[in-house]
Each structure stands twice: as structure tokens, then as C-alpha cells.
Amino acid sequence: MTLSLYRPTVRLALILMALTFLAPASARGGMRQPVDDDFFAIQKNFEIFGAMFESLVGSYVDPVDAERLMRRGISAMLQELDPYTVFLDESDYSAANVSRAGRLGTVGLDADFRDGRFTVLSPINGGAAFRQGIRVGDVITHVARRETGTMTRSDIFELLTGDPGSLVEVRIVRRGEEEARVFQLPREIVQADPVAHAEVLFGDADLAVGYVRLSTFAPGSAERVRASLVQLNETTQLKAVILDLRDNQGGLLEDAVAVVQLFVPPGSPVVSILGRRPESTAEYSTSGTPLFPDTPLAVLINRRSASASEIVAGAVQDLDRGVIVGEASFGKGIAQTVTRLPFNTGIKITTSRFYSPSGRNIQSANYRLEGAATPDSLRGAFSTSNGRPVRGGGGIDPDVPVSNAADGPLLEVLRQGGHLFRYAGQQTVQQSQAVTPDQIDMAAFAAWLSQEQITFETRADKLLR
């Protein structure tokens, strides 16, 4: 016998959900006729899904966890879409709200596991950890009196973050010291400088090149780039500019437009956002006076340059304003919006695509899920302002391809095992100052590898064995 205790409630709820979902669309003018068909399809399939779900939960031979079953169904449904459209459960949605509102405090640490130990990779300049003297290479053994060796990286960072002004106890072990150090670190809103580095390359006044590395498109990034370039130009008149966007995974679209505005004439198109709804559609052009309208410009990108970085590189390339150097970029040409769902859950859903001035969308056709290159047949052909051919659908291709030299097998073993990092940290402690590569004694390094019993087997060794 099929249980039907909840059928009227389920059916009514699903119909109300369908009406709520379609209400914003039907309220707009110029509604397309197929919406009636959409409404019927949604209503029909909601009823089928609700009835099936009710039957499974009420009649299956073994007890069924209703919430777990529904979450599995949601996951399966989202797998039909792009990987950026995701369901946010209660904790994810709450964390997303805190992050967007800028209310999340942190101690200012970049850290990860190295050789099984949670190790400081870089204290963020200006953060509490930096001010109190935590160093690169310090091993964090306890956070809030809990051993880090028993936790995941996300668990540890969950303890390190919290309400601004609250304290968290961190215990570290430092190379060369027997006693552990204990820090009481205040959680703060850390405003890391988006300009990671800026300097004048080639001191010769006839060949002064301004170099700026932008690590993220956070609020105020464009102003920081402008201020850095103005300062460099005051030192010596710049003859060219290099904007380094390697490893920059994006951020605010508005700041990407403002960065392009530093180099192109007012009224230049930068990016178009196109979605199904009017609120998901917009066009962005420059409006201010450029800082360097004619100075030769090069933009550096690599495979980890994504989103807002690709907007900047795409605009510079399409407008023939500068040369793009490096590797093909990541290929993320879509934008997401977070929408609230019942019971304090939500969904981050892809609502639009963005297009460069030539009309190309740089989103990779396969979303780079397996790192495979998009075939040219799926990329489409476009032209820059001066008629140069460029392709869409697969990231921004550089005008001048330059790839990092592939690591040899020995270097790969040393890097992946964290041996280079550990040796550099040891030398820094012994010399009480940062160590540059040219200061490394290779014979001493080889002796250290032997002492640490770090071995390396060549391909010839493997074949012989």
C-alpha cells in the first residue's frame, strides 16, 4: 500500500514553488510566449518529482533518510550544468554571506601541510601573525588548543577565522628552538595589498620599464595599480609598462574595467555581460582619462589567470592596445549570482556570460575539468580592432607564447616533497636573514639531502632495476 499522508501538502508546496519561481519573469514586459510551456513543464515535473520522493520516503522497504536522498538528487541535477553552479547548504550559505559582507576576521596566514606538518608559507603583510613575528617555515602544532595533525586544512582555517576582535591561541614550533611558542592572535579584517610587487626594471632612463604584479581584483585594486605606476613614473619617466596577471584568478569586474581604463581612450568597450534576464545584462566601457594612453604595454598571463584577469587581457588584445605574453589563460567567461533558498540555504547559479570587445566569450567549452585544450572547431574566429585574428572559447591566447621551462624529474621531486622549502627555511634561521638563491651552497645542499635520507631514482636507474 502506498502511503499518501503528505501528498496534498507536497503537491501544494511544489505548485507554490513553481509560481514563486516564475513570478519575477511573468512580471516583466515583453514576455516571450514559450513561458507558458515552461510553466507547464515546471509544474508537471514538480508534481512527478514530489510524488516519487514521497513514495520513496514513505514506502521503500528500508527506512530512508529524506534529507540525504534529496541532497543526492540535487547533486545529480546540478551535474548536468557547469561546475560553478552549486547548492549551498546552511553553513555554506551563512559563510558566503559573511564573506560577501566582509565581516570575517582572520589572523593573516597562508599555510598548508608540508611533510605532514601544518606549516606557515607566508604571513600576510600587515596581519596579526606578521606583526607578532610568526615566520615562514614555522610549524603550527595547535590552534585553539587542538592538534593540527588531527584536522584538515579547512578545519584549521575555520578555527583561525571568526568575529573580528576575538582572539585565537596558536602554538608553533620553530626550527632551531626547543621550546614551542604560544601566540594570542586577534582575528581581524585583513586588507592585503592587491599589488604584490612594483618596481622599475632596467634603471637606464632610456629603457625604464614599470613592472606591476597584481595578485587579485579586490576593492581598490585599480587605484593601487594607478598609485604604483604614478610613483614609479615619478622616479623615472617610464618608457613601457608590464602588467603581471599571472596566477591572478579574478575578482571584481568593476576593478577590471578600471584597470583597462588606465591605458585606453575614454569610451572604449571593455566587456559585455549577457544573460537571460535584463538584470544579468550590461555593457562596460571606459569613461576616465587614461594614465598611459600611448606607452607600450605588455600583459603577462598564464594558465591560472582567470575571470577578471581575462577581461583585462581580452580587452587589451581586442583593442590592439598592448601585447599579451605567456600561456593561454584559464578560460572562465561566466558570472554567478547567489540566490537564497528556503531554510537558509542557497544556490550559486551561473546567470550570464561575458564577452570581450570583439564579441568573443573565452569560457572553455569543457570547463577545463580535465585540463584538456578546447579544439579550434569549438572556439570561433574573431578580429581585433586592427583586424588581427583571435579565437574565443578557450581562454585568451597570448600574442607571444612563453611557457615556463618544464621541471626536470629531480626538481619535481624536490619541490613536491617540500625539500627546497625546508632547506631554505633552515638556512634563513641559521643566517638570521632571508636567503637568496645565489647564496645557496650546492655542495652543502647535497650533503643535507643525504643527511635527510632523501633519495632520487633516475629513469635509467628504474630501467636497470
Side-chain angles (χ1 to χ4, degrees):
M1 179 180 68
T2 302
L3 298 178
S4 58
L5 178 63
Y6 303 109
R7 184 179 298 278
T9 304
V10 170
R11 183 172 298 162
L12 177 60
L14 292 173
I15 292 174
L16 288 174
M17 287 173 66
L19 288 172
T20 302
F21 178 81
L22 290 176
S26 60
R28 299 195 307 269
M31 175 58 64
R32 60 185 180 87
Q33 187 61 35
V35 154
D36 292 337
D37 295 335
D38 290 345
F39 176 81
F40 174 75
I42 292 173
Q43 183 182 26
K44 171 186 173 182
N45 288 285
F46 262 141
E47 290 206 45
I48 293 173
F49 183 84
M52 181 189 71
F53 181 70
E54 173 195 350
S55 296
L56 287 173
V57 175
S59 303
Y60 189 68
V61 62
D62 297 321
V64 174
D65 185 329
E67 182 172 358
R68 181 173 179 271
L69 187 65
M70 177 61 77
R71 296 294 172 87
R72 291 289 295 272
I74 290 173
S75 296
M77 179 167 55
L78 294 181
Q79 284 178 4
E80 294 292 312
L81 308 175
D82 66 79
Y84 304 104
T85 296
V86 295
F87 174 72
L88 304 174
D89 61 18
E90 293 89 335
S91 60
D92 291 336
Y93 184 67
S94 177
N97 281 336
V98 170
S99 178
R100 288 197 303 275
R103 298 193 303 268
L104 198 62
T106 180
V107 299
L109 278 177
D110 180 12
D112 206 342
F113 283 97
R114 291 291 185 271
D115 294 334
R117 302 184 299 176
F118 195 66
T119 306
V120 176
L121 303 180
S122 175
I124 297 175
N125 189 14
F130 178 87
R131 296 197 309 272
Q132 294 193 23
I134 290 182
R135 301 178 183 174
V136 174
D138 286 347
V139 175
I140 300 177
T141 61
H142 294 76
V143 174
R145 301 188 179 182
R146 291 179 57 187
E147 290 188 23
T148 56
T150 63
M151 295 186 285
T152 64
R153 184 178 187 273
S154 60
D155 290 337
I156 296 171
F157 275 101
E158 186 173 347
L159 291 176
L160 291 172
T161 56
D163 294 332
S166 61
L167 296 176
V168 59
E169 182 179 291
V170 174
R171 182 183 294 267
I172 68 104
V173 172
R174 179 167 296 168
R175 291 185 181 90
E177 298 182 359
E178 295 182 1
E179 296 292 328
R181 297 190 178 208
V182 178
F183 296 83
Q184 298 293 334
L185 300 178
R187 300 182 178 98
E188 304 167 326
I189 304 296
V190 178
Q191 299 291 346
D193 191 344
V195 173
H197 187 72
E199 69 168 309
V200 176
L201 304 177
F202 314 113
D204 189 340
D206 295 329
L207 193 62
V209 178
Y211 169 87
V212 174
R213 182 180 181 91
L214 183 62
S215 59
T216 184
F217 286 88
S221 295
E223 282 304 312
R224 281 292 297 119
V225 173
R226 171 185 283 274
S228 298
L229 288 173
V230 168
Q231 185 177 7
L232 296 180
N233 197 50
E234 289 175 349
T235 302
T236 178
Q237 188 173 2
L238 300 179
K239 300 299 188 295
V241 171
I242 296 175
L243 179 63
D244 191 347
L245 299 181
R246 291 175 298 175
D247 300 323
N248 185 323
Q249 299 184 23
L252 298 179
L253 180 147
E254 291 80 3
D255 274 78
V257 175
V259 167
V260 176
Q261 186 169 281
L262 297 174
F263 305 102
V264 301
S268 299
V270 177
V271 63
S272 300
I273 307 296
L274 299 180
R276 292 178 63 190
R277 297 189 174 194
E279 61 268 25
S280 302
T281 299
E283 294 184 359
Y284 294 85
S285 301
T286 60
S287 57
T289 302
L291 181 63
F292 291 104
D294 304 311
T295 304
L297 171 67
V299 178
L300 308 185
I301 61 173
N302 63 8
R303 287 171 293 179
R304 290 175 295 278
S305 302
S307 193
S309 294
E310 296 173 297
I311 289 177
V312 172
V316 169
Q317 189 176 58
D318 283 1
L319 298 173
D320 286 303
R321 174 58 186 87
V323 61
I324 311 300
V325 181
E327 303 170 313
S329 62
F330 182 80
K332 185 178 186 294
I334 51 180
Q336 288 73 42
T337 301
V338 175
T339 301
R340 183 175 183 177
L341 299 178
F343 297 100
N344 201 36
T345 62
I347 183 170
K348 185 171 71 171
I349 181 172
T350 297
T351 53
S352 58
R353 295 184 177 92
F354 54 76
Y355 297 83
S356 71
S358 68
R360 54 177 170 156
N361 175 247
I362 51 83
Q363 175 63 51
S364 296
N366 60 5
Y367 296 101
R368 294 288 175 90
L369 293 181
E370 298 178 359
T374 304
D376 287 347
S377 59
L378 299 177
R379 301 194 60 183
F382 301 86
S383 298
T384 68
S385 298
N386 291 341
R388 293 189 302 120
V390 290
R391 290 192 176 275
I396 300 297
D397 289 327
D399 301 309
V400 181
V402 178
S403 297
N404 291 327
D407 293 343
L410 174 58
L411 183 57
E412 186 175 350
V413 168
L414 294 175
R415 178 174 287 126
Q416 290 181 355
H419 309 311
L420 296 173
F421 176 81
R422 290 198 295 121
Y423 184 74
Q426 182 189 81
Q427 293 299 303
T428 298
V429 170
Q430 291 179 357
Q431 300 185 28
S432 300
Q433 63 180 1
V435 178
T436 59
D438 59 341
Q439 295 174 319
I440 298 293
D441 184 333
M442 295 307 296
F445 180 49
W448 178 82
L449 291 175
S450 178
Q451 178 184 343
E452 295 289 314
Q453 297 183 346
I454 298 167
T455 60
F456 170 70
E457 189 176 39
T458 65
R459 182 172 180 272
D461 292 333
K462 294 178 181 178
L463 291 174
L464 182 60
R465 176 166 52 83

